[in-house]
Amino acid sequence: TPLTLIRALVWHFDKFKDSELKTVFIGGAPAVELSFKLPFLTINRVRTYLSGHLDWLVSFQNDLWFVDFKTTKYELDNNFFNQFSPSNQIDIYTLATKVVLAQEAKGGIIDGIQLSPNFNRFRRHMEIRSPEQVDEFVEDTLFWINQAFTFSENKTWPKNETSCSNYGGCVFRGICSKTPGIRDHFLKTEFIQKIWDPNIPRG
């Protein structure tokens, strides 16, 4: 609700009022909600991109970091923060800072916010990425994109059933559990198709 949102913001600012994080400025403007689009790979004259939005770029102890805000109803314990290592989001954001700013971030600061009707808790966690880890991410992503093109050319999309329960469960799990011949019917009746275009800047 508007009340709990404003309350969370006030408590967050109060919690970190003495923070040493300093906002990075690009062209005189604060680097918040910074959209990026990186040309990555061309296959059969089709160009692929890595794109996304950086919540906030900061300087901390003479290093560049990006801050990513994450909300949850669960405890901000190690189980919560472990999901960001490994994480292709953290890897791609680290790569993006190198391309966009010509300076690779040391990693990401996960700004965790536990939401509750009556309270909020806050905790920050640093996820460092080495250049070797980012290079490995690039190699792995090249492999998966090439494989996706192969699937597209062959008109076949095999399920990766080991991922069905990741991140709380896939919303399409109920569809995949049905007989293939009737899946299209349930997709049309239970979902509304909306194309997400990450190229559209935020704000």
Side-chain angles (χ1 to χ4, degrees):
T1 66
L3 174 62
T4 55
L5 171 62
I6 293 172
R7 185 187 66 189
L9 288 171
V10 171
W11 286 349
H12 185 275
F13 291 138
D14 186 59
K15 171 76 173 180
F16 296 110
K17 62 183 178 181
D18 297 321
S19 170
E20 297 181 23
L21 305 184
K22 304 299 181 183
T23 301
V24 171
F25 284 77
I26 301 177
V32 295
E33 291 294 339
L34 185 65
S35 300
F36 63 88
K37 178 181 177 181
L38 313 178
F40 191 65
L41 177 66
T42 299
I43 299 178
N44 297 334
R45 294 183 294 181
V46 177
R47 174 64 62 88
T48 63
Y49 296 85
L50 300 180
S51 59
H53 312 280
L54 295 164
D55 287 350
W56 181 24
L57 289 180
V58 299
S59 174
F60 176 65
Q61 296 183 351
N62 298 319
D63 289 312
L64 176 67
W65 297 80
F66 59 85
V67 178
D68 200 63
F69 295 93
K70 298 294 185 184
T71 59
T72 179
K73 63 181 180 181
Y74 301 108
E75 291 285 340
L76 299 175
D77 54 15
N78 289 338
N79 288 330
F80 173 77
F81 289 106
N82 284 344
Q83 66 182 307
F84 304 107
S85 182
S87 165
N88 56 12
Q89 182 185 27
I90 303 301
D91 295 334
I92 195 174
Y93 283 7
T94 306
L95 176 64
T97 60
K98 181 178 181 179
V99 176
V100 174
L101 300 178
Q103 178 185 356
E104 188 170 297
K106 190 169 184 177
I109 298 174
I110 309 302
D111 211 333
I113 305 172
Q114 183 183 3
L115 301 178
S116 171
N118 301 311
F119 69 86
N120 297 117
R121 291 193 177 98
F122 310 94
R123 181 182 169 190
R124 282 179 172 165
H125 170 80
M126 292 184 171
E127 273 296 330
I128 297 175
R129 287 296 186 272
S130 69
E132 291 81 9
Q133 287 175 302
V134 176
D135 290 342
E136 183 182 45
F137 160 75
V138 171
E139 293 177 4
D140 291 347
T141 305
L142 288 170
F143 168 81
W144 289 115
I145 291 178
N146 274 288
Q147 190 173 70
F149 271 92
T150 299
F151 291 155
S152 178
E153 291 171 358
N154 295 334
K155 306 298 181 184
T156 180
W157 299 94
K159 296 192 297 294
N160 182 1
E161 297 182 359
T162 59
S163 297
C164 293
S165 298
N166 288 353
Y167 306 106
C170 176
V171 296
F172 296 105
R173 186 169 188 168
I175 301 297
C176 293
S177 66
K178 301 184 186 305
T179 300
I182 62 174
R183 288 176 186 159
D184 282 344
H185 168 75
F186 284 94
L187 281 172
K188 292 176 182 177
T189 57
E190 297 182 9
F191 291 87
I192 297 175
Q193 185 178 26
K194 181 180 180 181
I195 304 300
W196 174 61
D197 187 354
N199 297 320
I200 300 176
R202 289 181 178 175

